[in-house]
Amino acid sequence: MTVFLWILQTLLALALFAAGGGKLAKPYAQTAEAMPWARSFSAGQVKAIAALEVLAGLGLVLPAATGIATVLTPLAATGAALIMLGAVVTHVRLKEWSQITPGAVLLVVAVVIAWGRFGPYAW
């Protein structure tokens, strides 16, 4: 199960790096054009969401890989779950039905990681 959780952590971290990094690298106007939900938020809010995604991705991998402050890994998974919950709620509110599934899948993955790393498969 530990190997399975490592695989999930790595995949979720990559997804968060891609999502957050893309939003951080692009100007707000380009992000809002590509992602209609972003128009519901200010430029600063979108950049903050992106930064939190990147930080959660780092928290999923670095503490566990280095063995330093390993409690940060399940905390990062919990934070990622909260971010994904916010994404799902936002897409439902805006009736962006095709965008709900990716966020919901990442939410479930984050919850599984948090459960495993806080619970029976903690460091």
Side-chain angles (χ1 to χ4, degrees), residues 33-74:
E33 184 179 318
M35 303 173 185
W37 65 265
R39 294 182 203 124
S40 300
F41 298 91
S42 71
Q45 289 171 322
V46 172
K47 295 297 183 185
I49 291 167
L52 289 172
E53 288 172 340
V54 170
L55 288 173
L58 289 172
L60 284 166
V61 177
L62 286 181
T66 62
I68 300 170
T70 54
V71 72
L72 293 177
T73 297

Short mmCIF file of all heavy atoms in Angstrom, two decimals, residues 33-74:
data_model
loop_
_atom_site.label_atom_id
_atom_site.label_comp_id
_atom_site.label_asym_id
_atom_site.label_seq_id
_atom_site.Cartn_x
_atom_site.Cartn_y
_atom_site.Cartn_z
N GLU A 33 -9.11 33.60 -20.34
CA GLU A 33 -9.59 33.23 -21.67
C GLU A 33 -9.66 31.70 -21.81
O GLU A 33 -10.61 31.16 -22.36
CB GLU A 33 -8.66 33.80 -22.74
CG GLU A 33 -9.11 33.56 -24.15
CD GLU A 33 -8.15 34.17 -25.16
OE1 GLU A 33 -7.70 35.31 -24.93
OE2 GLU A 33 -7.87 33.52 -26.17
N ALA A 34 -8.65 31.02 -21.30
CA ALA A 34 -8.60 29.56 -21.41
C ALA A 34 -9.48 28.86 -20.39
O ALA A 34 -9.96 27.75 -20.63
CB ALA A 34 -7.15 29.09 -21.26
N MET A 35 -9.67 29.47 -19.23
CA MET A 35 -10.44 28.87 -18.14
C MET A 35 -11.53 29.85 -17.71
O MET A 35 -11.28 30.73 -16.89
CB MET A 35 -9.51 28.56 -16.96
CG MET A 35 -8.38 27.66 -17.31
SD MET A 35 -7.23 27.52 -15.91
CE MET A 35 -5.96 26.55 -16.64
N PRO A 36 -12.74 29.68 -18.21
CA PRO A 36 -13.81 30.64 -17.92
C PRO A 36 -14.08 30.84 -16.43
O PRO A 36 -14.49 31.92 -16.02
CB PRO A 36 -15.03 30.04 -18.62
CG PRO A 36 -14.46 29.20 -19.72
CD PRO A 36 -13.17 28.67 -19.19
N TRP A 37 -13.85 29.83 -15.60
CA TRP A 37 -14.08 29.98 -14.17
C TRP A 37 -13.23 31.09 -13.58
O TRP A 37 -13.62 31.71 -12.59
CB TRP A 37 -13.81 28.68 -13.42
CG TRP A 37 -12.37 28.25 -13.46
CD1 TRP A 37 -11.80 27.38 -14.33
CD2 TRP A 37 -11.32 28.69 -12.61
NE1 TRP A 37 -10.46 27.25 -14.08
CE2 TRP A 37 -10.13 28.04 -13.02
CE3 TRP A 37 -11.24 29.58 -11.54
CZ2 TRP A 37 -8.91 28.25 -12.40
CZ3 TRP A 37 -10.02 29.78 -10.92
CH2 TRP A 37 -8.87 29.12 -11.35
N ALA A 38 -12.07 31.36 -14.17
CA ALA A 38 -11.14 32.35 -13.62
C ALA A 38 -11.74 33.75 -13.66
O ALA A 38 -11.34 34.61 -12.87
CB ALA A 38 -9.82 32.31 -14.37
N ARG A 39 -12.71 33.98 -14.54
CA ARG A 39 -13.34 35.31 -14.62
C ARG A 39 -14.15 35.62 -13.36
O ARG A 39 -14.47 36.77 -13.10
CB ARG A 39 -14.24 35.38 -15.85
CG ARG A 39 -13.47 35.31 -17.13
CD ARG A 39 -14.38 35.44 -18.36
NE ARG A 39 -13.71 34.83 -19.49
CZ ARG A 39 -14.21 33.85 -20.23
NH1 ARG A 39 -15.41 33.39 -20.00
NH2 ARG A 39 -13.51 33.35 -21.23
N SER A 40 -14.47 34.59 -12.58
CA SER A 40 -15.21 34.79 -11.33
C SER A 40 -14.30 35.21 -10.19
O SER A 40 -14.77 35.48 -9.09
CB SER A 40 -15.93 33.50 -10.94
OG SER A 40 -16.84 33.12 -11.93
N PHE A 41 -13.00 35.25 -10.44
CA PHE A 41 -12.02 35.58 -9.41
C PHE A 41 -11.11 36.69 -9.91
O PHE A 41 -10.92 36.85 -11.11
CB PHE A 41 -11.17 34.34 -9.07
CG PHE A 41 -11.96 33.21 -8.50
CD1 PHE A 41 -12.50 32.23 -9.32
CD2 PHE A 41 -12.19 33.13 -7.13
CE1 PHE A 41 -13.24 31.19 -8.79
CE2 PHE A 41 -12.93 32.09 -6.60
CZ PHE A 41 -13.45 31.11 -7.43
N SER A 42 -10.52 37.42 -8.98
CA SER A 42 -9.57 38.46 -9.37
C SER A 42 -8.25 37.81 -9.78
O SER A 42 -8.00 36.63 -9.52
CB SER A 42 -9.33 39.41 -8.19
OG SER A 42 -8.59 38.74 -7.18
N ALA A 43 -7.39 38.60 -10.39
CA ALA A 43 -6.08 38.11 -10.81
C ALA A 43 -5.29 37.60 -9.60
O ALA A 43 -4.65 36.55 -9.66
CB ALA A 43 -5.31 39.20 -11.54
N GLY A 44 -5.36 38.33 -8.52
CA GLY A 44 -4.64 37.93 -7.31
C GLY A 44 -5.15 36.62 -6.74
O GLY A 44 -4.37 35.78 -6.26
N GLN A 45 -6.47 36.44 -6.77
CA GLN A 45 -7.05 35.20 -6.27
C GLN A 45 -6.63 34.00 -7.12
O GLN A 45 -6.31 32.93 -6.59
CB GLN A 45 -8.56 35.31 -6.21
CG GLN A 45 -9.06 36.24 -5.13
CD GLN A 45 -10.56 36.51 -5.23
OE1 GLN A 45 -11.09 36.65 -6.33
NE2 GLN A 45 -11.20 36.59 -4.10
N VAL A 46 -6.62 34.18 -8.43
CA VAL A 46 -6.20 33.09 -9.32
C VAL A 46 -4.73 32.74 -9.08
O VAL A 46 -4.36 31.56 -9.02
CB VAL A 46 -6.47 33.45 -10.80
CG1 VAL A 46 -5.85 32.42 -11.74
CG2 VAL A 46 -7.96 33.58 -11.05
N LYS A 47 -3.89 33.75 -8.93
CA LYS A 47 -2.47 33.50 -8.65
C LYS A 47 -2.30 32.83 -7.29
O LYS A 47 -1.43 31.95 -7.13
CB LYS A 47 -1.65 34.79 -8.71
CG LYS A 47 -1.60 35.42 -10.09
CD LYS A 47 -0.93 34.54 -11.11
CE LYS A 47 -0.86 35.26 -12.45
NZ LYS A 47 -0.33 34.42 -13.51
N ALA A 48 -3.10 33.20 -6.30
CA ALA A 48 -3.02 32.57 -4.98
C ALA A 48 -3.43 31.10 -5.06
O ALA A 48 -2.78 30.24 -4.45
CB ALA A 48 -3.90 33.32 -3.98
N ILE A 49 -4.49 30.81 -5.80
CA ILE A 49 -4.91 29.42 -5.99
C ILE A 49 -3.79 28.63 -6.66
O ILE A 49 -3.46 27.51 -6.25
CB ILE A 49 -6.21 29.36 -6.83
CG1 ILE A 49 -7.39 29.92 -6.03
CG2 ILE A 49 -6.50 27.92 -7.28
CD1 ILE A 49 -8.63 30.19 -6.87
N ALA A 50 -3.19 29.22 -7.67
CA ALA A 50 -2.09 28.56 -8.39
C ALA A 50 -0.91 28.30 -7.46
O ALA A 50 -0.32 27.21 -7.48
CB ALA A 50 -1.67 29.40 -9.58
N ALA A 51 -0.56 29.28 -6.65
CA ALA A 51 0.56 29.11 -5.72
C ALA A 51 0.26 28.02 -4.70
O ALA A 51 1.14 27.21 -4.37
CB ALA A 51 0.85 30.44 -5.01
N LEU A 52 -0.98 27.96 -4.22
CA LEU A 52 -1.36 26.90 -3.28
C LEU A 52 -1.29 25.53 -3.93
O LEU A 52 -0.89 24.54 -3.29
CB LEU A 52 -2.77 27.16 -2.73
CG LEU A 52 -2.89 28.34 -1.77
CD1 LEU A 52 -4.36 28.61 -1.44
CD2 LEU A 52 -2.09 28.08 -0.51
N GLU A 53 -1.65 25.45 -5.20
CA GLU A 53 -1.55 24.17 -5.91
C GLU A 53 -0.09 23.71 -6.00
O GLU A 53 0.22 22.55 -5.74
CB GLU A 53 -2.16 24.29 -7.30
CG GLU A 53 -3.67 24.39 -7.31
CD GLU A 53 -4.26 24.70 -8.67
OE1 GLU A 53 -3.54 25.21 -9.56
OE2 GLU A 53 -5.46 24.44 -8.84
N VAL A 54 0.78 24.63 -6.34
CA VAL A 54 2.21 24.29 -6.45
C VAL A 54 2.77 23.90 -5.08
O VAL A 54 3.50 22.91 -4.95
CB VAL A 54 3.01 25.45 -7.08
CG1 VAL A 54 4.50 25.22 -6.98
CG2 VAL A 54 2.59 25.64 -8.53
N LEU A 55 2.42 24.65 -4.04
CA LEU A 55 2.90 24.33 -2.70
C LEU A 55 2.38 22.97 -2.23
O LEU A 55 3.12 22.20 -1.59
CB LEU A 55 2.50 25.43 -1.72
CG LEU A 55 3.26 26.75 -1.85
CD1 LEU A 55 2.65 27.81 -0.94
CD2 LEU A 55 4.73 26.55 -1.56
N ALA A 56 1.13 22.67 -2.53
CA ALA A 56 0.58 21.36 -2.17
C ALA A 56 1.33 20.25 -2.90
O ALA A 56 1.64 19.21 -2.31
CB ALA A 56 -0.91 21.30 -2.48
N GLY A 57 1.65 20.48 -4.16
CA GLY A 57 2.41 19.50 -4.92
C GLY A 57 3.78 19.25 -4.29
O GLY A 57 4.23 18.10 -4.17
N LEU A 58 4.44 20.32 -3.89
CA LEU A 58 5.74 20.17 -3.22
C LEU A 58 5.60 19.43 -1.90
O LEU A 58 6.40 18.56 -1.56
CB LEU A 58 6.38 21.55 -2.98
CG LEU A 58 6.89 22.29 -4.20
CD1 LEU A 58 7.29 23.71 -3.82
CD2 LEU A 58 8.05 21.55 -4.83
N GLY A 59 4.55 19.76 -1.16
CA GLY A 59 4.32 19.13 0.14
C GLY A 59 3.98 17.66 0.04
O GLY A 59 4.19 16.91 1.00
N LEU A 60 3.44 17.24 -1.08
CA LEU A 60 3.12 15.83 -1.26
C LEU A 60 4.37 14.98 -1.44
O LEU A 60 4.36 13.79 -1.12
CB LEU A 60 2.21 15.65 -2.47
CG LEU A 60 0.76 16.05 -2.27
CD1 LEU A 60 0.05 16.14 -3.61
CD2 LEU A 60 0.06 15.07 -1.36
N VAL A 61 5.44 15.57 -1.97
CA VAL A 61 6.61 14.78 -2.34
C VAL A 61 7.83 15.07 -1.47
O VAL A 61 8.48 14.13 -0.97
CB VAL A 61 6.95 15.01 -3.82
CG1 VAL A 61 8.20 14.27 -4.21
CG2 VAL A 61 5.79 14.59 -4.70
N LEU A 62 8.18 16.33 -1.28
CA LEU A 62 9.45 16.66 -0.62
C LEU A 62 9.59 16.15 0.81
O LEU A 62 10.62 15.54 1.13
CB LEU A 62 9.68 18.17 -0.67
CG LEU A 62 10.10 18.72 -2.03
CD1 LEU A 62 10.34 20.22 -1.94
CD2 LEU A 62 11.33 18.02 -2.55
N PRO A 63 8.62 16.36 1.70
CA PRO A 63 8.82 15.86 3.07
C PRO A 63 8.98 14.35 3.12
O PRO A 63 9.84 13.83 3.84
CB PRO A 63 7.56 16.31 3.80
CG PRO A 63 7.02 17.44 3.01
CD PRO A 63 7.39 17.14 1.59
N ALA A 64 8.17 13.66 2.34
CA ALA A 64 8.26 12.20 2.33
C ALA A 64 9.58 11.73 1.72
O ALA A 64 10.19 10.77 2.20
CB ALA A 64 7.08 11.62 1.56
N ALA A 65 10.04 12.39 0.69
CA ALA A 65 11.27 11.98 0.02
C ALA A 65 12.50 12.26 0.87
O ALA A 65 13.47 11.50 0.84
CB ALA A 65 11.39 12.69 -1.33
N THR A 66 12.47 13.34 1.64
CA THR A 66 13.62 13.70 2.45
C THR A 66 13.57 13.13 3.86
O THR A 66 14.58 13.08 4.54
CB THR A 66 13.75 15.24 2.56
OG1 THR A 66 12.59 15.75 3.21
CG2 THR A 66 13.93 15.87 1.20
N GLY A 67 12.38 12.73 4.29
CA GLY A 67 12.22 12.22 5.66
C GLY A 67 12.20 13.33 6.70
O GLY A 67 12.26 13.07 7.89
N ILE A 68 12.09 14.57 6.25
CA ILE A 68 12.08 15.72 7.15
C ILE A 68 10.65 16.24 7.25
O ILE A 68 10.02 16.54 6.24
CB ILE A 68 13.01 16.83 6.64
CG1 ILE A 68 14.44 16.31 6.56
CG2 ILE A 68 12.93 18.07 7.53
CD1 ILE A 68 15.40 17.24 5.85
N ALA A 69 10.12 16.34 8.45
CA ALA A 69 8.76 16.85 8.71
C ALA A 69 7.73 16.11 7.86
O ALA A 69 6.92 16.72 7.16
CB ALA A 69 8.71 18.36 8.46
N THR A 70 7.74 14.81 7.97
CA THR A 70 6.87 13.98 7.12
C THR A 70 5.39 14.20 7.39
O THR A 70 4.56 13.85 6.54
CB THR A 70 7.20 12.49 7.30
OG1 THR A 70 7.14 12.15 8.69
CG2 THR A 70 8.57 12.17 6.75
N VAL A 71 5.04 14.81 8.50
CA VAL A 71 3.63 15.12 8.77
C VAL A 71 3.09 16.12 7.74
O VAL A 71 1.87 16.22 7.55
CB VAL A 71 3.44 15.63 10.21
CG1 VAL A 71 3.99 17.04 10.37
CG2 VAL A 71 1.96 15.59 10.60
N LEU A 72 3.98 16.82 7.06
CA LEU A 72 3.53 17.78 6.05
C LEU A 72 2.90 17.10 4.84
O LEU A 72 2.09 17.70 4.14
CB LEU A 72 4.69 18.67 5.60
CG LEU A 72 5.23 19.62 6.66
CD1 LEU A 72 6.42 20.40 6.13
CD2 LEU A 72 4.14 20.56 7.15
N THR A 73 3.26 15.83 4.57
CA THR A 73 2.70 15.14 3.42
C THR A 73 1.18 14.95 3.55
O THR A 73 0.45 15.33 2.64
CB THR A 73 3.42 13.80 3.19
OG1 THR A 73 4.79 14.07 2.88
CG2 THR A 73 2.80 13.02 2.04
N PRO A 74 0.67 14.37 4.64
CA PRO A 74 -0.79 14.27 4.74
C PRO A 74 -1.47 15.63 4.88
O PRO A 74 -2.61 15.81 4.44
CB PRO A 74 -1.03 13.38 5.96
CG PRO A 74 0.23 13.43 6.73
CD PRO A 74 1.33 13.67 5.75
#
